[in-house]
Amino acid sequence: MTFLAELAINGALVGLMYALVASGIVLVYKSSGVVNLAQGGFVMAGAYLVWAYIARLGLGLIPGILAAAASMGALGWLTERLALRRMIGQPVIMILMLTFGLEVVLRGAVPGALGADTKPMPIPISQAPVWLGDILINRTYILGGAVAVVMVALLAVFFRTRAGIAMRAVSDDHLAAWAVGIPVERTVALSWAVSGAVAAVTGVLWGAVQGVDWSLSLLLIKALSVAVLGGLDSLSGVVLAGLIVGVFESVISGYVDPFVGGGTREVVAAVVIFLTVLIRPYGLFGREVIERV
Amino acid sequence: MTDTVARAHEAGKTFANPGVSGAGQAARPAPLLAVHNVEVIYDKVFLAIKGVSLEVPEGAIVALLGSNGAGKSTTLKAISGLLGPERGQVTKGTVRWRGQDITRLSPPARVRLGIAQVLEGRRVFEHLTPEENLIAASTPIGNARRVRELVQMVYDYFPRLYERRNAKAGYLSGGEQQMLAIGRALMAEPRLLLLDEPSLGLAPVLVEEIFRIVQRINQEQGVSVLLVEQNARAALDVASYGYLMEDGRVRMDGPAEVLKANPDIQEFYLGGGAGRTSYRDVKHYRRRKRWLA
Ligand SMILES: Nc1ncnc2c1ncn2[C@@H]1O[C@H](COP(=O)(O)OP(=O)(O)OP(=O)(O)O)[C@@H](O)[C@H]1O
Ligand SMILES: [Mg+2]
């Protein structure tokens, strides 16, 4: 029982951190209907930048994170300005290929420029575990889960502000948004910028968990399965989906891995995508298509 | 051209610009909106309107009539700047706002000048509540208190929207959605409202109610209106002046009273002919025979 609880709690915390990666995808999807397949690369680049600003340039912890968030915000904004805006009206598959191309470029270029070996994320978290009764909890996960909850809550608040409501309006109907004076292009660019900044913060957390190297970009798969299960455009959906994926993969791999020699974690995420697409293509909380006559 | 048409045209010239009285041609101030000889091409090949000219004087309600595909919506989009997202382009002519050339201005810039369009088919932000629809459209307004006042003003004009302010807009009735679309356009404090077929698909009582409110908005807020309609009777009842489009051109214009009295207009657009009372018959007839073809 203790073992199960331990797996479930740690899994839930990891799941919240998946939800944070996925929230970057949700943010862009909500404003422009584009699934950003470069989100994994964004997280990796964000982690590298935090490491570089702190370990190479000697910035403090907070200034380093802020600088990385600003840089990643700029990268997100530039991605929209330079690449996606030209793609307006192109088939969805072209746009998906473009973002995936960016993912591949980031995977190659960032480790190439800053070093491919795994680096420790230079933030002071004690490795000593936390005991909850008999249950052992990873301290980094606690921090990560807490930060994820705060970030997602902030995003939820943002979507209730005027700028956030305008962003949701843009995702509903571009032409109608233009017609009432919403600067659609700027709004979409803003969503990319915010998503880049969120990726930087996410990169800090995941960098602290598994070190900084190219493999951070593999979070794309987890984030996609969480986003798809959550419904792609719902923040609460993403949190719930994150918890589900996190708990399932932790519990299942905890019990099954010893028999099969590991690797079930990755399978769980893939199975989640399959099952969601087959059973509930709009995800748990995806917005239904409203049809009237 | 038949005699009656020519007569109406003459009359139109004499009575044009009802907002200006007595002033000589030279001293005439620029009208609120002046569309001059505008040509629009879609997708670089399809010529949709071919040299359309019309004017809306300050404070007036002007009707723009015509059957399907005549180019009414295209004309409105040339005025509001929404052709870009539709792959259309103004290739000739000018759109002037109080004398200033705005032909190439971005849609949000035109909204800030005071031009708001209510799109054909209402196009509310379906996944937002009516209240959020209004707030999303308040982007051009800087002051938060003013936004609340404007929301209140919209609720005063459309009490039904207040009752349903927290439902999803996609689930409102057609009439409620039309009210929301008009209310949403009012959030930018426009001086000119471009209404594209507000009567589409609504029961006659509802059409009457909505047109009455539009008239009140015109009188109480001093908002000028350019009203596109196929329902010529309803439109000419509230408008002071009317234009009739056919096949991408303005075929006839004149004071509403003159147009209503015109036998050809009666036959085609008011369903006047003897024994023809059902709307369906009128529509069928209209499709078969083309105006002045
Ligand atoms: N986005 C577009 N791309 C290509 N052609 C278009 C586009 N929009 C309109 N057209 C064409 O331009 C012409 C004028 O269309 P428009 O929508 O302006 O007519 P309308 O008078 O508003 O008709 P309706 O009463 O049916 O709304 C039509 O032949 C239409 O097919
Ligand atoms: Mg139309």
Side-chain angles (χ1 to χ4, degrees), chain A residues 253-266:
Chain A
S253 67
Y255 283 101
V256 179
D257 269 1
F259 301 104
V260 297
T264 36
R265 260 176 188 277
E266 313 308 320

Side-chain angles (χ1 to χ4, degrees), chain A residues 159-162 165-166 168-170 172-173 175-184 186 287-292, chain B residues 82 85 107-108 111 117 119 123 125-128 132 135-139 141-142 147 168 170-173 177 184:
Chain A
F159 278 122
R160 310 237 153 245
T161 65
R162 269 218 281 169
I165 292 173
R168 284 155 59 211
V170 165
D172 247 16
D173 191 329
L175 194 67
W178 278 121
V180 294
I182 299 174
V184 173
R186 213 186 324 142
R287 66 179 172 192
E288 66 279 40
V289 178
I290 298 179
E291 278 188 37
R292 301 188 50 93
Chain B
L82 294 182
V111 173
Q117 178 169 2
L119 293 165
R123 310 275 294 251
F125 301 124
E126 293 188 335
H127 298 89
L128 274 54
E132 288 173 333
I135 292 170
S138 72
T139 312
I141 308 288
V147 172
K168 259 191 195 175
Y171 293 121
L172 300 185
S173 75
Q177 287 189 351
R184 189 174 65 177

Side-chain angles (χ1 to χ4, degrees), chain B residues 42-43 46 48 66-75 86-87 120 196-197 230:
Chain B
Y42 283 113
D43 294 319
F46 184 79
S67 50
N68 288 113
K72 309 179 295 294
S73 300
T74 303
T75 304
E86 302 269 274
R87 300 177 319 284
E120 189 174 354
D196 199 344
E197 303 209 28
Q230 293 198 40

Side-chain angles (χ1 to χ4, degrees), chain A residues 65-117:
Chain A
I65 294 175
L66 290 179
S71 311
M72 288 307 298
L75 178 67
W77 186 77
L78 283 174
T79 306
E80 197 281 334
R81 276 313 290 254
L82 300 180
L84 278 124
R85 195 167 296 183
R86 290 159 201 268
M87 302 294 288
I88 290 173
Q90 300 288 325
V92 176
I93 183 68
M94 303 286 288
I95 297 174
L96 283 181
M97 287 316 293
L98 182 80
T99 65
F100 191 66
L102 183 61
E103 169 90 11
V104 174
V105 167
L106 287 173
R107 265 181 206 186
V110 176
L114 296 173
D117 53 316

